[in-house]
Amino acid sequence: MPNSSRYIYMAGVMKALAHPTRLFIVEQLNEGERNVSDLTTMVGIDISTISRHLSILRQAGIITVRKYNNQMIYSLLCPCVLDMFRCVVQIRESQND
Amino acid sequence: MPNSSRYIYMAGVMKALAHPTRLFIVEQLNEGERNVSDLTTMVGIDISTISRHLSILRQAGIITVRKYNNQMIYSLLCPCVLDMFRCVVQIRESQND
DNA sequence: TTAGTATTTGGTCACTTTGCCAAATAGCCC
DNA sequence: GGGCTATTTGGCAAAGTGACCAAATACTAA
């Protein structure tokens, strides 16, 4: 039953969020649109790696992109993922008992 | 900045949820407690694999366990993860435009 | 067309994940 | 203790992930 397309799809979205750098990117995009160079500077790793992280988030339907001159401007599609973060914080706090 | 403990922790929780079988388990536990054998029957893969999935969810703080005779009874700790599922459904629906 | 800037893609490598089987552990009952 | 049931752990193979560098692509500007 877990191999139904529903669970596979959901796992795909969660997997896209299951990386520190991608979570950071999502939070940054929640503040506003960013291009690849800006995100690269903030994160401090190779630009090609950032580009791949962005591609993963985009394919998962979490972010979108538009072209502006020779730049790619990324922005958050579903701010509801920020609510997920709140749940995670709840889990973390409930741990310390 | 993404290598702060906050992002690493959050990514850990998301990673624990980033597998179809583990999502299925979480939904089952939302219906009520289950032991390992029951979950194994429902999922239909090796019991040792189920045990490992449960261990991952437990270590992430998403589920907990108690002993009853020679069984291990697992239950959901933070039902708020179900809200995450709702967000994922939202993402999926917004895709079909 | 050529040079310059921004981004993506190909290739490689080390590491992690997930499945199975077999064996170990834990608790119950006789 | 010995047998039975339930669960976890060790070991291994196949597949997936994430980082880098180098090269390709795309667009601007001269």
Side-chain angles (χ1 to χ4, degrees), chain B residues 74-86:
Chain B
Y74 284 88
S75 53
L76 192 57
L77 257 184
C78 270
C80 68
V81 295
L82 273 291
D83 300 336
M84 295 199 202
F85 296 2
R86 242 163 275 146

Side-chain angles (χ1 to χ4, degrees), chain A residues 1-2 6-7 9-11 14-15 17-21 23-24 27 43 60-61 78 80-81 84 87 91-92 95, chain B residues 1-2 6-7 9-11 14-15 17-18 20-21 23-24 27 43 60-61 78 80-81 84 87 91-92 95:
Chain A
M1 204 48 106
R6 176 169 170 269
Y7 289 107
Y9 176 83
M10 296 213 313
M14 303 303 283
K15 202 183 288 193
L17 291 167
H19 192 282
T21 298
L23 291 175
F24 177 83
E27 279 202 343
V43 175
C78 270
C80 69
V81 296
M84 294 199 203
C87 170
I91 292 174
R92 188 178 206 178
Q95 294 267 61
Chain B
M1 205 49 105
R6 175 168 170 269
Y7 289 107
Y9 175 83
M10 297 213 314
M14 304 303 281
K15 199 184 289 192
L17 292 167
T21 299
L23 291 175
F24 177 84
E27 279 201 345
V43 175
C78 270
C80 68
V81 295
M84 295 199 202
C87 169
I91 292 174
R92 187 178 205 177
Q95 293 267 61

Side-chain angles (χ1 to χ4, degrees), chain A residues 4-70:
Chain A
S4 78
S5 73
R6 176 169 170 269
Y7 289 107
I8 291 171
Y9 176 83
M10 296 213 313
V13 174
M14 303 303 283
K15 202 183 288 193
L17 291 167
H19 192 282
T21 298
R22 293 198 289 268
L23 291 175
F24 177 83
I25 288 172
V26 166
E27 279 202 343
Q28 288 305 313
L29 295 185
N30 190 48
E31 306 291 316
E33 323 183 293
R34 300 274 188 276
N35 66 24
V36 185
S37 295
D38 289 347
L39 290 168
T40 301
T41 305
M42 290 191 254
V43 175
I45 64 177
D46 197 275
I47 193 170
S48 68
T49 304
I50 297 293
S51 175
R52 280 193 224 268
H53 281 309
L54 288 166
S55 158
I56 289 168
L57 287 169
R58 192 157 68 88
Q59 197 168 0
I62 296 164
I63 66 177
T64 189
V65 67
R66 67 182 173 87
K67 210 171 273 221
Y68 175 70
N69 289 336
N70 57 345

Side-chain angles (χ1 to χ4, degrees), chain A residues 73-85:
Chain A
I73 313 284
Y74 285 88
S75 52
L76 192 57
L77 256 185
C78 270
C80 69
V81 296
L82 273 291
D83 299 337
M84 294 199 203
F85 297 2

Side-chain angles (χ1 to χ4, degrees), chain B residues 12-55:
Chain B
V13 174
M14 304 303 281
K15 199 184 289 192
L17 292 167
H19 192 282
T21 299
R22 294 197 288 269
L23 291 175
F24 177 84
I25 289 173
V26 166
E27 279 201 345
Q28 287 304 314
L29 295 185
N30 189 47
E31 306 291 317
E33 322 183 295
R34 300 275 188 274
N35 67 24
V36 185
S37 296
D38 289 347
L39 290 169
T40 301
T41 305
M42 291 190 252
V43 175
I45 63 176
D46 197 274
I47 193 170
S48 68
T49 304
I50 296 292
S51 176
R52 288 204 154 98
H53 280 309
L54 289 166
S55 159

